Amino acid sequence: ESGPALPPFATLPREHWGLMSENINDMVLRCAKTGKLFFSEKDAKQHNDDTGFAEFEQVSLDDKVWFCTETGKVCVTETEMHIYQKRDPTAKTFEEKTVGFLREQYLARRKPPQPAAGSGGGAGDPMEVDGEAGAPAAAAPVPNISKELLDQLLEMGFPQPRSEKALVRTSNAALEPAITWLAEHADDDDVDVPLEVTPNILPQADIDAAAAALRLTPEEKQAKLAAAVESAQRKREEIEKAEEKAREKARRESGKAMVKTKAELDELQRKRDMEARRKEKEDDARHRAFLRAELERDKAERRAKREAQGLPPLASDKPKPAPEPEPAAAAKPAADATPAKPRGPVELPVLPVPDAIEAICANRDFALDTYIETVTKLADNVHKNPAEPKYRHIRTSNPKIHERLIRPTAGELFLIAVGWRRDADGLTLPAEVAPGAFAEAVAQLAQIAGAKKEQRAAAEREKLKAEREAAMRAKHAEKERLRQQMEADRREISARGPAQTAKAAKLPTGNGGEHRLNLEEDPRDRQPGP
């Protein structure tokens, strides 16, 4: 993980840089602006001088990087790796490495190889391997140290090898860092070992002049900084574009999944609605058949009563004659025959009000209550506004009117019985029909319907009571049978003698408790046994 940002080099005095040299050289730093990795203090300072970026952060050696085997490019994120593959077709193979692996390679390149025996190379001819194995590289740069600082250390009594090593290790920063380094490494085994590369001992003025010559001019620094900023900005834009594409793709996939799920839910809901409508139609058909059978039975009873009294049957109670089968020739009329006129609406018989009330009370309670509520409101409007034609006319094509007044069995028969008559688009109450008569018939319907509902409820309660009593009697009989069986078993065991007597076990049940036969309390259980 990345550690906290280190203090920028630009804000530290030059004489303090040496104090941080040994600690920073063991770290891996990353520029907070460009993301570039640095494995030494010198490289980080040079980057600061070149770009002006002074914000660095420490990087863990376990952080992952991706190394291109074809081009040697190091990518610190997978997104950067994908973008680089798109820009450079030759970059095909990437190996997952760590920052520690890169640091080891960096240190291996900086360490001078030992000369082979017989190669003719001396101790003063260090060679580096860079790139291909065995390829000679330029000699390591010779460090410069200040003659004035070296003389001051020698005057203090430090040996020259130690003094030179201290000035090289502290980058010739100042006297105080060199003394600190000598104090910290006084007990090292190799502290007196001379450096492999003998440093150049130059006056401080010459060193400062050489460093000034190597420094970039303000214009060069500005140009390099602008190029680095432009490159970082371009890289950031590419990363943002790639991330935006990924987000857009995820959004499209999510939208497709949502549309598919909604379509599946709609299909399931459609199937459920179709099944509900089918069941409703079947229920309505069964109910209509039941009502037709009830009407025919009532008509037959009325005909029988009137015949017993010596009265002729009512016109509405006469059985309908069965339709005569048409001749075969009539099934195919001649081409010049006059087409049959379309059939008009079926004329409903005018029943007596009590018969119409009896027929409509056969509806279910919900439909009957809705019907009574609607006709009560209709009668109230006619009674309050007897001269208004709009209250004496109803359109049966209106879905709500049809559902409430026409669809219930015998609903239209009752309206016709109390005086309403059919017209072109519905039903009309003639002006000669008194509003009070209509209201009185509706009140009679409400009273009889309430009584019928009470009778049906009482009959249902009696039926449930009878079923409950029958179940109770059956349970009691079963209990008595078990008691008699248990008594017979006791007598049989007693007759066998005490050697064969066994303890009766509790009857198991599904929940592990005792088996109870009386699920409901029976008053006869309280009677003492024989």
Side-chain angles (χ1 to χ4, degrees), residues 255-422:
K256 291 179 181 179
M258 291 177 61
V259 170
K260 182 179 179 182
T261 303
K262 186 177 182 302
E264 293 176 353
L265 293 176
D266 292 344
E267 180 65 18
L268 291 177
Q269 185 63 35
R270 187 183 65 82
K271 291 181 179 179
R272 285 195 292 266
D273 294 344
M274 291 177 61
E275 182 67 17
R277 286 195 295 270
R278 184 184 65 79
K279 290 183 178 179
E280 184 179 359
K281 290 180 180 179
E282 292 177 356
D283 294 342
D284 290 345
R286 285 194 295 268
H287 186 63
R288 292 194 197 97
F290 170 76
L291 292 180
R292 284 194 293 269
E294 289 293 319
L295 287 174
E296 292 299 329
R297 184 177 62 80
D298 292 343
K299 290 179 182 180
E301 291 179 357
R302 286 196 297 270
R303 285 196 303 271
K305 288 180 182 179
R306 293 182 72 86
E307 288 176 0
Q309 295 174 1
L311 300 175
L314 297 174
S316 60
D317 293 341
K318 292 181 179 180
K320 296 181 180 179
E324 298 180 0
E326 297 181 359
K332 296 181 180 180
D336 55 350
T338 305
K341 295 182 179 180
R343 297 178 61 185
V346 179
E347 282 294 333
L348 297 178
V350 180
L351 299 179
V353 174
D355 294 346
I357 292 176
E358 187 71 20
I360 198 171
C361 285
N363 285 281
R364 289 174 290 185
D365 291 347
F366 175 76
L368 184 58
D369 293 342
T370 304
Y371 183 87
I372 293 174
E373 178 185 357
T374 306
V375 294
T376 302
K377 187 180 298 184
L378 187 61
D380 187 53
N381 290 336
V382 172
H383 182 72
K384 291 180 179 178
N385 306 278
E388 287 288 340
K390 66 177 182 179
Y391 294 115
R392 288 176 171 266
H393 178 77
I394 55 177
R395 288 189 303 107
T396 55
S397 59
N398 188 317
K400 291 186 177 180
I401 294 296
H402 188 276
E403 182 70 22
R404 291 169 175 263
L405 297 179
I406 307 302
R407 185 173 181 180
T409 303
E412 193 173 2
L413 288 175
F414 174 79
L415 293 175
I416 292 176
V418 297
W420 291 76
R421 295 294 178 263
R422 281 184 172 179

Side-chain angles (χ1 to χ4, degrees), residues 248-259:
E248 180 64 20
K249 183 178 180 182
R251 186 188 64 78
R252 288 197 298 267
E253 294 295 333
S254 176
K256 291 179 181 179
M258 291 177 61
V259 170

Side-chain angles (χ1 to χ4, degrees), residues 116-129:
S119 61
D125 299 327
M127 302 292 290
E128 287 188 355
V129 176

